Amino acid sequence: MTEAPRFPELAKAFYDKGPGRASDRLAEVLEEAKARGEIQLNDCHSAADHFVGMLRDNLHLQVILGLRPPPSPTEAEAAVKSAISIFLHGIYGADRMQAPQRGARLR
């Protein structure tokens, strides 16, 4: 990442083959679900980018910075499940899909 300014073509190739590719494919899946009426999204690619970013989260950054060892398989699975749950259900969860009324406090 620190060499990206010196080698922009390498940075672009890395992004296109990794995070960008994952976002593009997920956006396609979301567009298909949207076309079937299963989901309502204005911008499927933006949602896909958000999800891929959620998967990378601070755990990834901590490992990259050498602040902690890589997560165990159990930790990695828990992080992925959490990202999926928040992506699909938001912070309210599946049983509380309605947003609070304006001015209401979050519990």
Side-chain angles (χ1 to χ4, degrees), residues 71-90:
S72 69
T74 302
E75 288 176 305
E77 184 176 343
V80 169
K81 284 181 177 181
S82 175
I84 290 169
S85 178
I86 292 170
F87 182 77
L88 292 177
H89 305 294

Side-chain angles (χ1 to χ4, degrees), residues 23-76:
S23 287
D24 290 345
R25 180 62 187 119
L26 179 55
E28 290 173 8
V29 171
L30 293 174
E31 287 288 353
E32 292 166 5
K34 181 179 175 180
R36 290 189 303 267
E38 296 172 351
I39 61 173
Q40 296 177 357
L41 283 173
N42 292 330
D43 185 345
C44 291
H45 204 278
S46 179
D49 282 344
H50 287 303
F51 180 71
V52 171
M54 289 171 68
L55 290 176
R56 240 183 345 264
D57 80 6
N58 279 344
L59 180 63
H60 169 75
L61 183 59
Q62 290 167 354
V63 172
I64 295 297
L65 294 173
L67 301 175
R68 62 156 291 154
S72 69
T74 302
E75 288 176 305

Side-chain angles (χ1 to χ4, degrees), residues 10-23 45 49 56:
L10 183 61
K12 182 172 179 359
F14 168 78
Y15 182 81
D16 289 346
K17 300 293 183 199
R21 186 175 184 183
S23 287
H45 204 278
D49 282 344
R56 240 183 345 264

